[in-house]
């Protein structure tokens, strides 16, 4: 039976009570991909546009976004955010983004990691939209988590009975 | 030559000066797709989980996110947000999300529309991650805009020379 | 027939499109009342607690709250906030709060005025709860508005056919 | 003697030092009431307007507001928010709203619960003001708390010497 | 006679009414200086630490801060922010920061420019405090403004009768 | 060798991982100075402008700003803020501001204290700029910290080998 923990018995949205969960070190990683024109990729690679600030702006937007999760997602908890890394790599088709978020608090940080890469991707699209209005986000997903009661998990390596 | 308007001549991030642009009615639309397990899709469709609040939470998160763009994207302008619609449709593979944002201000609202669908998608993933940890965002893109100096544009119907 | 403009035809929440409305000077006023123990009222009046900062904190919280409406109310527009006054009066039963908000933008500011007095009231309760846990907000309502297409209105003086 | 803990000896506003308080499970509940026209009540009840999104928007606004307390109330602490439930009930005279907030942190969450119901009430007024400009908040108060050094408390059942 | 426009006749804080002011192009510039150890200056100059991200983080923090003025300063108006540039220069004694903010709205943007350089300075101190706990902000001031009723002004070139 | 902990090995901005640090009581103090015209100083002293609200607004802006550090500084952690005091003193040359922030969490609160005094200073400049456009911040610095692994520190009394 499918149980949506963010809804109560009457089906109303709620913030799940985690007061009884133990604060432990938890981390989660996510990735996202932006696809854009070869012109943009070339410009970034050849340095005809300054790579530094494009990637820096996206990285900082991603780090900041990890901290905004309680504000962005109505049912997310207010927890401590104790470590964030966001990386961007220029690839042939665009940019690949990854993030790892760490906390020593009561809930997992999958949404913080996923929000970090997604908002970093939005920042990339914002900066390149003037030269490539077709750029798009083609993927954003959590790829790993560790810590907490449900233990470690890596996408692709663990069969997950949750999937129908 | 590729010109990244969000960077100055020295390649430093800046908020582009739009004081000379005319306030006119502008709109933009974007779409995003979340893919999730058939179990989740079935539960939403058959009503074994209350569809209302799941979609309502995502819709409201999307509307609210359109207003948070200046806070999320470092180089985005502070402008008026004068109309937002976010729709979610349950499909066989998950949920499809669309949004249209309207303003009567100085800049286009493509990023507002794209941010709305993307954060709505994040809210969906947040709510279903307890039953489907493999759910993911597989697409998020601007699909149309109107108003402003550069005129109307619809993805797919207009050849765009910007793409290499 | 009752028409909830914040819902579309399918009954989904939306931010009403106001792009076609004209920016004009508009204002709205609201009042709220906090009831608290006579001990607190006496202390505030006789100066055995410094009246200045209690009222100043509430006033500033109210002014700041008028600016947070787009963040607090999911369907509220992002508009300019161009003038805010919040007043507090110590009365025998507690504190009476009033606020007037002004804008030269596209929507009325009734919710800004009502939010200002309500959050000022919350700030009062926050500060006195240590000495009077029974303090409560007993009223918060819009009392007047001017400007905009629907014209001027004062509570109590205008028969309003909307009320059943 | 009345002691306003939010003021120092000189009567200046401060955030009370709670570093020495113990993190323990604490909860608080609050209620608020919105009064509106029978036309609105009937529309909500008979479903001529979709009840779902009206109540869902208010509920989500209330949950989100519980997390905004440090931003809304100048002297409130930044603490973890670990569980929030907001309920709305349509009654003959309007809507009754209740909320319970839980934390495992250093301070009580009375203000979080009171802010949740109050902002949910503001969201209701915002959505119905187009059809009933006389709607108003007629009550908002904390009704119970548990946990922390001062112990459990329920409004009405405990004589409180603080009241004059 | 000194008139504090942010206070009403009774001396209470208020947001000055600017509804009657005309939206026109206005700009303001401010500068700030951070002083730090020669070790930090050398490291930044010689590239033994990557200069790019240190300056980029501060620049982006400054741009973002210009947009947060209504949230940071209780009596500031909500206006459009239509252009922001923040520059950082490494000098022998530390870093010099400058910013220019532009708007086409109803109020001057002196506080937006001053907040931009000040928060950029805070971001610098945050990043170098691990290697130089003595770093400090030694100056932050508005240096020029243009537009609006009071006209253009440049610090140092205009005698100002306001100064006693 | 200079190690900027906010940058990773590749020199990219990151939020330093503090999950392994122990939550302990920590405090930090900072000071800032605003210089303004003697006319303003006299007006504040003689009460021809109400001193209360000017200082109260700045004090409250400072307390609120201590809570906004994760939002203002991209690489700052989300931690609990458990006590804040901000004081302002009118001196011959302007105003001197001091703040102490306390937490029982995983990181020091130097930036919270420094941000509190700096934003309080910005609020002062905002309120007096109408009568003294030359007012400026002439100093903002951390002056003491206690708690945490690196122990207690007071500016001026401890030789610090970090300074070149």
């Amino acid at each position: 039976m499918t149980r949506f923990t963010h809804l109560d018995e009457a089906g109303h949205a709620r913030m799940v009570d985690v007061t009884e969960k133990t604060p432990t070190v938890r981390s989660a990683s996510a990735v996202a991909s932006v696809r854009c024109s070869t012109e943009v990729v070339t410009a970034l690679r050849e340095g005809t546009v300054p790579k530094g600030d494009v990637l820096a702006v996206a990285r900082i937007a991603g780090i900041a976004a990890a901290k905004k999760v309680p504000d962005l997602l109505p049912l997310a908890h207010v927890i401590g955010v104790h470590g964030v890394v966001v990386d961007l790599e220029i690839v042939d088709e665009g940019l690949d983004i990854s993030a790892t978020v760490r906390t020593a608090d009561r809930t997992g940080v999958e949404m913080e990691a996923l929000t970090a890469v997604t908002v970093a991707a939005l920042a990339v699209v914002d900066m390149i939209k003037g030269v490539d209005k077709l750029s798009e986000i083609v993927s954003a997903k959590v790829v790993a988590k560790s810590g907490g009661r449900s233990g470690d998990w890596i996408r692709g390596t663990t069969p997950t009975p949750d999937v129908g």
Side-chain angles (χ1 to χ4, degrees), chain A:
Chain A
M1 202 213 62
T2 308
R3 189 158 158 276
F4 284 57
T5 52
H6 289 87
L7 303 178
D8 64 18
E9 298 77 46
H12 299 149
R14 61 170 178 171
M15 183 194 292
V16 181
D17 182 5
V18 297
T19 50
E20 300 302 338
K21 294 180 79 172
T22 311
T24 57
V25 177
R26 300 154 192 265
S27 75
S29 299
V31 297
S33 293
V34 175
R35 290 300 165 255
C36 57
S37 71
T38 52
E39 186 193 22
V40 169
V41 172
T42 302
L44 286 171
R45 278 198 168 138
E46 296 190 344
T48 54
V49 291
K51 186 170 64 175
D53 267 28
V54 173
L55 302 196
V57 169
R59 187 181 297 116
I60 294 164
I63 293 171
K67 298 187 268 187
K68 295 181 203 293
V69 163
D71 191 40
L72 288 173
L73 304 184
L75 310 182
H77 300 85
V78 175
I79 60 161
V81 177
H82 297 135
V84 183
V85 179
V86 175
D87 281 316
L88 291 101
E89 187 184 3
I90 304 169
V91 296
D92 285 356
E93 305 81 19
L95 288 107
D96 286 351
I97 306 166
S98 62
T100 295
V101 177
R102 289 171 64 80
T103 188
D105 211 324
R106 278 180 172 73
T107 75
V109 282
E110 294 97 314
M111 291 315 300
E112 279 76 5
L114 186 60
T115 300
V117 292
T118 305
V119 173
L122 288 172
V124 167
V125 172
D126 181 41
M127 281 183 287
I128 68 183
K129 72 176 191 293
V131 287
D132 177 12
K133 62 175 60 163
L134 292 179
S135 71
E136 57 183 297
I137 301 172
V138 296
S139 174
K141 59 189 173 191
V142 177
V143 292
K145 66 171 296 249
S146 71
R149 201 180 45 194
S150 66
D152 296 357
W153 172 81
I154 300 178
R155 183 182 285 265
T157 62
T158 315
T160 57
D162 287 325
V163 183

